[in-house]
Amino acid sequence: MRFLLLALAVIVILGTAVGLALKARDKRTMAEDFLGAPKTYDTTGGQQMKPRW
């Protein structure tokens, strides 16, 4: 009986950990899509940089 309860507790804890990890990964990808910088930068038509001495 104790073994069954211990096994059930371990399964519940592992399931919760996996669920939280998947949820965190989904939030991260959603934030990267929303806040991410563009992959290519348009560098045409800019002004020349002057050194500051």
Side-chain angles (χ1 to χ4, degrees), residues 4-20:
L4 183 63
L5 289 176
L6 183 62
L8 184 63
V10 168
I11 290 172
V12 168
I13 290 171
L14 288 176
T16 303
V18 168
L20 289 175

Side-chain angles (χ1 to χ4, degrees), residues 39-52:
K39 303 293 183 211
T40 57
Y41 298 97
D42 182 24
T43 57
T44 60
Q47 72 183 51
Q48 190 175 11
M49 293 179 64
K50 293 185 227 174
R52 297 183 185 182

